[in-house]
Amino acid sequence: MVRLRKGGTVRDCSLSVLLPRFGQASQRKSVYIATENTYTVEKFQQALDKAVALREKAERVYKKAELAAAKAGALDLKRQLKR
């Protein structure tokens, strides 16, 4: 994304990352790259690496929470069937 903030004179660049959250709405994070005057391919690559790492971490947390919920549901069902 490239945007000019209200009252600003120089645009800034950032990446937008959607982070999944189990049982909740996904969260959108912005990863800053640079201003249009300081933008480089290296800064873009660093921001992209950070964005990918954020997404991967969120996916791991999501899958862990999903598995815990599935196990809890299975245990609950097992208890109900024993009655």
Side-chain angles (χ1 to χ4, degrees), residues 16-22 24-30 54-55 58 62:
S16 184
V17 184
L18 191 62
L19 305 176
R21 299 185 304 171
F22 186 77
Q24 301 176 25
S26 296
Q27 185 177 32
R28 187 174 47 122
K29 289 281 188 179
S30 183
L54 285 171
R55 175 71 187 203
Y62 182 97

Side-chain angles (χ1 to χ4, degrees), residues 36-63:
E36 64 184 336
N37 296 332
T38 60
Y39 183 93
T40 64
V41 173
E42 291 80 20
K43 286 184 179 184
F44 170 79
Q45 189 60 52
Q46 289 173 349
L48 181 60
D49 292 344
K50 183 177 179 179
V52 168
L54 285 171
R55 175 71 187 203
E56 288 174 345
K57 181 180 178 185
E59 287 176 349
R60 283 193 305 272
V61 170
Y62 182 97
K63 287 178 183 176

